[in-house]
Amino acid sequence: GRSVDPAALRALTDRRPGAIANWIQGAELYRKSQFVAAITYFRRAVDADSALALAALRGAEAADWLDGPTEAREFLTLAEAHLSLLPPKYATFATGLGHYFAGRADSALVHLRRALAADSGFTAAWMTVGEVFFHLLPQEASAPDSAARAAFLATRRTDPGFAPPLY
Protein backbone atom coordinates (compact mmCIF):
# COMPACT_ATOMS: atom_id res chain seq x y z
CA GLY A 1 0.00 0.00 0.00
CA ARG A 2 0.98 3.60 -0.19
CA SER A 3 0.27 6.09 2.52
CA VAL A 4 2.19 8.83 0.71
CA ASP A 5 1.46 9.65 -2.92
CA PRO A 6 4.73 10.31 -4.77
CA ALA A 7 3.06 13.27 -6.52
CA ALA A 8 2.52 14.85 -3.11
CA LEU A 9 6.22 14.98 -2.38
CA ARG A 10 6.53 18.28 -4.27
CA ALA A 11 4.21 19.85 -1.68
CA LEU A 12 6.79 19.08 1.02
CA THR A 13 9.37 21.58 -0.21
CA ASP A 14 10.27 23.93 2.63
CA ARG A 15 8.01 22.11 5.10
CA ARG A 16 9.32 21.22 8.55
CA PRO A 17 10.65 17.65 8.86
CA GLY A 18 8.85 17.03 12.18
CA ALA A 19 5.56 18.08 10.64
CA ILE A 20 6.16 15.78 7.67
CA ALA A 21 6.92 12.86 9.99
CA ASN A 22 3.67 13.45 11.89
CA TRP A 23 1.71 13.67 8.63
CA ILE A 24 3.18 10.37 7.39
CA GLN A 25 2.38 8.65 10.69
CA GLY A 26 -1.16 10.04 10.61
CA ALA A 27 -1.61 8.95 6.99
CA GLU A 28 -0.66 5.38 7.84
CA LEU A 29 -3.09 5.30 10.78
CA TYR A 30 -5.81 6.82 8.58
CA ARG A 31 -5.33 4.02 6.02
CA LYS A 32 -6.04 1.56 8.85
CA SER A 33 -9.20 3.46 9.90
CA GLN A 34 -7.58 4.48 13.18
CA PHE A 35 -9.10 7.93 12.88
CA VAL A 36 -8.70 9.22 16.46
CA ALA A 37 -5.00 8.40 16.54
CA ALA A 38 -4.55 9.72 12.99
CA ILE A 39 -6.10 13.07 13.88
CA THR A 40 -3.66 13.44 16.76
CA TYR A 41 -0.77 13.20 14.29
CA PHE A 42 -2.43 15.51 11.77
CA ARG A 43 -2.94 18.11 14.52
CA ARG A 44 0.72 17.81 15.51
CA ALA A 45 1.73 18.21 11.87
CA VAL A 46 -0.24 21.42 11.31
CA ASP A 47 0.72 22.77 14.74
CA ALA A 48 4.38 22.36 13.76
CA ASP A 49 3.85 23.74 10.24
CA SER A 50 0.49 25.31 9.40
CA ALA A 51 1.42 25.37 5.69
CA LEU A 52 1.53 21.57 5.49
CA ALA A 53 -1.72 21.53 3.55
CA LEU A 54 -1.50 17.79 2.87
CA ALA A 55 -1.76 17.06 6.59
CA ALA A 56 -4.65 19.51 6.98
CA LEU A 57 -6.47 17.93 4.04
CA ARG A 58 -6.10 14.39 5.38
CA GLY A 59 -7.06 15.67 8.87
CA ALA A 60 -10.31 16.97 7.38
CA GLU A 61 -11.04 13.54 5.92
CA ALA A 62 -10.29 11.77 9.20
CA ALA A 63 -12.38 14.21 11.26
CA ASP A 64 -15.29 13.71 8.88
CA TRP A 65 -15.20 9.97 9.63
CA LEU A 66 -15.58 10.77 13.34
CA ASP A 67 -18.57 13.04 12.65
CA GLY A 68 -16.50 16.00 13.72
CA PRO A 69 -17.88 18.62 11.30
CA THR A 70 -16.32 21.56 13.14
CA GLU A 71 -12.89 19.98 13.27
CA ALA A 72 -13.17 18.72 9.69
CA ARG A 73 -14.03 22.25 8.53
CA GLU A 74 -11.14 23.73 10.56
CA PHE A 75 -8.66 21.34 8.94
CA LEU A 76 -10.11 22.03 5.49
CA THR A 77 -9.98 25.80 6.01
CA LEU A 78 -6.29 25.48 6.86
CA ALA A 79 -5.69 23.40 3.71
CA GLU A 80 -7.63 25.91 1.59
CA ALA A 81 -5.42 28.72 2.91
CA HIS A 82 -2.46 26.94 1.30
CA LEU A 83 -3.98 25.57 -1.92
CA SER A 84 -1.15 27.08 -3.96
CA LEU A 85 1.30 24.79 -2.14
CA LEU A 86 -0.61 21.67 -3.19
CA PRO A 87 -0.21 19.75 -6.44
CA PRO A 88 -3.15 20.66 -8.72
CA LYS A 89 -5.08 17.40 -8.21
CA TYR A 90 -4.97 17.92 -4.42
CA ALA A 91 -6.12 21.53 -4.71
CA THR A 92 -9.01 20.39 -6.91
CA PHE A 93 -9.78 17.59 -4.44
CA ALA A 94 -9.79 20.09 -1.54
CA THR A 95 -12.35 22.20 -3.38
CA GLY A 96 -14.51 19.13 -4.00
CA LEU A 97 -14.22 18.10 -0.36
CA GLY A 98 -15.36 21.57 0.69
CA HIS A 99 -18.45 21.27 -1.50
CA TYR A 100 -19.15 17.82 -0.04
CA PHE A 101 -18.87 19.16 3.52
CA ALA A 102 -21.28 21.97 2.57
CA GLY A 103 -23.81 19.50 1.14
CA ARG A 104 -23.36 20.65 -2.47
CA ALA A 105 -23.33 17.24 -4.14
CA ASP A 106 -23.21 18.31 -7.78
CA SER A 107 -20.40 20.83 -7.26
CA ALA A 108 -18.48 18.26 -5.22
CA LEU A 109 -18.73 15.72 -8.04
CA VAL A 110 -17.52 18.23 -10.64
CA HIS A 111 -14.30 18.90 -8.69
CA LEU A 112 -13.75 15.32 -7.57
CA ARG A 113 -14.07 14.12 -11.16
CA ARG A 114 -11.56 16.75 -12.27
CA ALA A 115 -9.15 15.38 -9.67
CA LEU A 116 -9.81 11.85 -10.99
CA ALA A 117 -9.26 13.03 -14.57
CA ALA A 118 -5.80 14.14 -13.45
CA ASP A 119 -5.17 10.82 -11.67
CA SER A 120 -7.59 7.93 -12.11
CA GLY A 121 -5.91 6.16 -9.18
CA PHE A 122 -6.52 9.00 -6.70
CA THR A 123 -7.83 7.00 -3.74
CA ALA A 124 -9.12 9.96 -1.69
CA ALA A 125 -11.10 11.32 -4.62
CA TRP A 126 -12.75 7.94 -5.31
CA MET A 127 -13.58 7.59 -1.62
CA THR A 128 -15.19 11.02 -1.50
CA VAL A 129 -17.19 10.36 -4.69
CA GLY A 130 -18.59 7.33 -2.87
CA GLU A 131 -19.36 9.46 0.18
CA VAL A 132 -21.17 12.03 -1.98
CA PHE A 133 -23.46 9.35 -3.42
CA PHE A 134 -23.87 7.63 -0.05
CA HIS A 135 -24.68 10.73 2.04
CA LEU A 136 -26.02 13.30 -0.45
CA LEU A 137 -28.31 13.18 -3.44
CA PRO A 138 -26.63 14.41 -6.63
CA GLN A 139 -29.01 15.29 -9.46
CA GLU A 140 -27.61 12.46 -11.58
CA ALA A 141 -28.28 9.87 -8.87
CA SER A 142 -30.88 7.53 -10.31
CA ALA A 143 -29.28 4.73 -8.27
CA PRO A 144 -27.15 6.41 -5.57
CA ASP A 145 -26.47 3.16 -3.70
CA SER A 146 -25.04 1.55 -6.83
CA ALA A 147 -22.99 4.66 -7.65
CA ALA A 148 -21.62 4.76 -4.09
CA ARG A 149 -20.76 1.07 -4.20
CA ALA A 150 -18.98 1.46 -7.55
CA ALA A 151 -16.91 4.36 -6.19
CA PHE A 152 -16.01 2.43 -3.03
CA LEU A 153 -14.95 -0.56 -5.16
CA ALA A 154 -12.81 1.79 -7.27
CA THR A 155 -11.29 3.08 -4.03
CA ARG A 156 -10.36 -0.47 -3.03
CA ARG A 157 -8.86 -1.13 -6.48
CA THR A 158 -6.63 1.94 -6.23
CA ASP A 159 -5.37 0.95 -2.77
CA PRO A 160 -6.42 -2.51 -1.54
CA GLY A 161 -4.89 -1.82 1.90
CA PHE A 162 -7.02 1.28 2.47
CA ALA A 163 -9.56 0.27 5.11
CA PRO A 164 -12.20 3.09 5.16
CA PRO A 165 -14.26 1.89 2.16
CA LEU A 166 -14.91 -1.37 3.98
CA TYR A 167 -17.36 0.52 6.18
Side-chain angles (χ1 to χ4, degrees):
R2 55 182 187 148
S3 57
V4 179
D5 178 353
L9 296 178
R10 289 179 308 232
L12 302 180
T13 305
D14 299 325
R15 303 285 52 90
R16 294 190 175 161
I20 294 168
N22 278 300
W23 164 60
I24 290 170
Q25 183 65 36
E28 191 56 36
L29 290 165
Y30 177 76
R31 287 184 76 246
K32 297 174 183 174
S33 296
Q34 296 176 13
F35 305 120
V36 173
I39 286 173
T40 299
Y41 283 98
F42 296 137
R43 275 193 210 114
R44 288 179 189 164
V46 297
D47 286 349
D49 187 344
S50 63
L52 186 51
L54 289 167
L57 193 54
R58 186 54 43 98
E61 292 175 85
D64 185 53
W65 274 100
L66 295 174
D67 292 325
T70 301
E71 186 168 32
R73 189 69 222 163
E74 288 170 1
F75 271 121
L76 186 59
T77 298
L78 188 57
E80 290 170 335
H82 301 287
L83 285 183
S84 66
L85 300 176
L86 289 171
K89 74 175 186 179
Y90 284 92
T92 302
F93 170 71
T95 302
L97 191 64
H99 285 297
Y100 166 62
F101 286 174
R104 294 186 294 268
D106 298 316
S107 295
L109 287 177
V110 166
H111 291 281
L112 295 169
R113 287 179 174 147
R114 283 183 191 152
L116 287 167
D119 177 1
S120 64
F122 192 177
T123 302
W126 277 118
M127 184 70 208
T128 307
V129 166
E131 294 292 320
V132 168
F133 280 105
F134 189 77
H135 294 287
L136 303 177
L137 191 59
Q139 285 186 337
E140 70 181 67
S142 59
D145 291 343
S146 295
R149 185 174 193 283
F152 293 142
L153 289 173
T155 304
R156 292 288 292 164
R157 278 193 303 276
T158 64
D159 184 355
F162 184 58
L166 297 176
Y167 290 101

